[in-house]
Amino acid sequence: MKKILFGLLLGICLPLVAAYLYVGSGAMPVATKGNPLPLEKYLARKALHAAMDPEIGKPSPLPANEANFLAGAKVYQAQCAVCHGQLGELETAIAKGMFPHPPQLLPPKKGVMDDPVGEIYWKVKNGIRLTGMPGYSKSLTDSEMWQVSLLLLHADKVSASVQQALRK
Ligand code: HEC
């Protein structure tokens, strides 16, 4: 019995000590350059989906029309383009230096056009911790968050005037 307890204790303590020594050794990646740690992406994605999936089924309370796309483009230019880029722009200087990189959300990239609109809205409202993606619940109205979500969902189908509003 004593041996089993000792084994159990060792089994719990050794990985904790090893993790502590690793973190203190300076070998853990902390700068924005470099690749994710093993399992980092998988675990982050799993946690995000577990938290968000029960809430993302709701439809937009606003219709997908020209007025809402234009309003969404205005929000996008003011709040999002600095990281996610404007139409026809390659990665922004800020995006290049971030870990993880903010994805391009406008054509020709596919962005989030195949995601449910409720998922885009959830990310805009709540943000994604430790990635740099801000949550906007304190700085945008609910309508503005839906408008920018609708814009991103339909970014490959918007009119010439909305496209114009998404350029410099
Ligand atoms: C300071 C930089 C920054 C700003 C500003 C920013 N984002 Fe992000 N955003 C990110 C990063 C980084 C990610 C990637 C997060 C990840 O890898 O999980 C991201 C992810 C996203 C995603 C998920 C993309 C996907 O492929 O699932 C959406 C949608 C999004 N942002 C929308 C917006 C909108 C809309 C705005 C403006 C209202 C905005 N972001 C402003 C940095 C930013």
Side-chain angles (χ1 to χ4, degrees):
M1 187 64 188
K2 260 189 182 166
K3 265 187 190 162
I4 296 177
L5 273 180
F6 181 70
L8 260 176
L9 212 66
L10 208 67
I12 294 169
C13 288
L14 269 184
L16 286 179
V17 171
Y20 184 77
L21 289 177
Y22 174 62
V23 169
S25 73
M28 189 164 151
V30 287
T32 55
K33 260 191 195 166
N35 294 322
L37 290 167
L39 285 181
E40 186 179 347
K41 231 175 169 173
Y42 169 79
L43 289 175
R45 204 146 281 179
K46 191 162 175 68
L48 177 65
H49 277 279
M52 130 184 120
D53 284 0
E55 296 179 36
I56 62 173
K58 55 179 159 185
S60 167
L62 301 178
N65 62 23
E66 181 77 4
N68 284 326
F69 294 155
L70 271 175
K74 217 170 140 194
V75 171
Y76 183 87
Q77 290 290 54
Q79 301 292 340
C80 325
V82 68
C83 285
H84 292 291
Q86 291 174 317
L87 204 59
E89 184 185 30
L90 296 174
E91 255 196 337
T92 68
I94 288 177
K96 275 185 207 156
M98 286 182 70
F99 180 95
H101 285 241
Q104 303 284 105
L105 298 176
L106 299 176
K109 293 291 159 85
K110 81 173 172 53
V112 286
M113 289 159 232
D114 53 0
D115 283 353
V117 70
E119 176 172 341
I120 306 173
Y121 169 82
W122 192 98
K123 289 174 180 170
V124 174
K125 182 177 176 187
N126 298 294
I128 307 173
R129 188 184 276 229
L130 295 181
T131 68
M133 169 61 198
Y136 284 92
S137 62
K138 290 188 183 148
S139 36
L140 292 176
T141 64
D142 214 42
S143 295
E144 287 171 327
M145 291 190 284
W146 280 112
Q147 284 163 334
V148 77
S149 304
L150 285 170
L151 167 81
L152 292 178
L153 183 70
H154 296 279
D156 55 344
K157 298 180 199 78
V158 291
S159 69
S161 48
V162 178
Q163 287 180 28
Q164 194 49 42
L166 290 169
R167 291 183 202 280
K168 270 192 185 146

